[in-house]
Amino acid sequence: MIDQDRVRIMTRMAIREKRTGYRIQTADGLDRKSFVSYYGVRSFFFGSILFFLVFSIVSAAVFSWFVIPVRRFTIEVLLFSGLLGYLFFMLFFLRYERHRNLKRYERYSNTVRSQDKDMQQLSAIYEKEDQKSHR
């Protein structure tokens, strides 16, 4: 006879693992600081690439749409404004990403806790079945 509780728990675990998959493995075993640091470094590189891509497109558009003579002063102003823009962009982008990563960590750790709780319940069911079968 099939234990319906066991089937229900196994189904719930399988659905949860299918939905979250590899994300459970990244959160499992990492503390909050390490998790946020890992995703923070990822966000830093992504934000840098994103900013320089957008800055390059905007700079090219400005120089192609408007007739601006390319002089040393123009390039210096462009680079200075790009640097200031990069600093402000990264300040706000990384703050936003940190907040997002903290929420992500909480969501993943809740999923891992739920998975562990279901695994303990499943182990208890298996132990009961073993005790019944040895009698």
Side-chain angles (χ1 to χ4, degrees):
M1 176 176 276
I2 297 175
D3 186 7
Q4 290 184 358
D5 289 335
R6 181 175 66 170
V7 172
R8 197 173 311 120
I9 291 171
M10 290 174 73
T11 304
R12 186 172 51 220
M13 288 175 68
I15 290 171
R16 187 181 303 122
E17 190 170 343
K18 184 175 182 177
R19 261 189 296 155
T20 56
Y22 71 94
R23 291 180 271 176
I24 290 177
Q25 294 172 352
T26 59
D28 195 23
L30 287 178
D31 61 337
R32 180 179 169 178
K33 183 179 179 182
S34 299
F35 185 88
V36 172
S37 297
Y38 170 73
Y39 280 99
V41 169
R42 242 177 73 171
S43 299
F44 174 77
F45 286 115
F46 176 73
S48 297
I49 291 169
L50 179 69
F51 178 81
F52 287 117
L53 182 68
V54 170
F55 183 71
S56 301
I57 291 171
V58 168
S59 298
V62 165
F63 279 110
S64 66
W65 289 338
F66 305 110
V67 180
I68 299 174
V70 180
R71 292 187 226 140
R72 182 177 175 188
F73 179 73
T74 308
I75 293 173
E76 288 174 353
V77 167
L78 180 69
L79 291 177
F80 183 72
S81 63
L83 183 62
L84 281 179
Y86 175 70
L87 292 175
F88 283 113
F89 172 77
M90 290 305 285
L91 178 74
F92 292 112
F93 181 75
L94 290 178
R95 181 175 293 177
Y96 167 76
E97 284 294 313
R98 177 174 166 71
H99 180 68
R100 211 172 122 212
N101 291 335
L102 287 171
K103 284 185 178 180
R104 180 183 291 164
Y105 176 76
E106 292 302 320
R107 191 172 57 242
Y108 292 171
S109 62
N110 288 339
T111 303
V112 169
R113 270 189 244 116
S114 299
Q115 199 77 345
D116 288 344
K117 180 182 156 197
D118 286 346
M119 188 59 131
Q120 289 174 355
Q121 288 176 350
L122 198 58
S123 295
I125 291 172
Y126 282 140
E127 285 180 22
K128 287 180 185 176
E129 287 179 0
D130 274 350
Q131 289 173 358
K132 284 183 183 178
S133 67
H134 288 332
R135 287 183 187 178

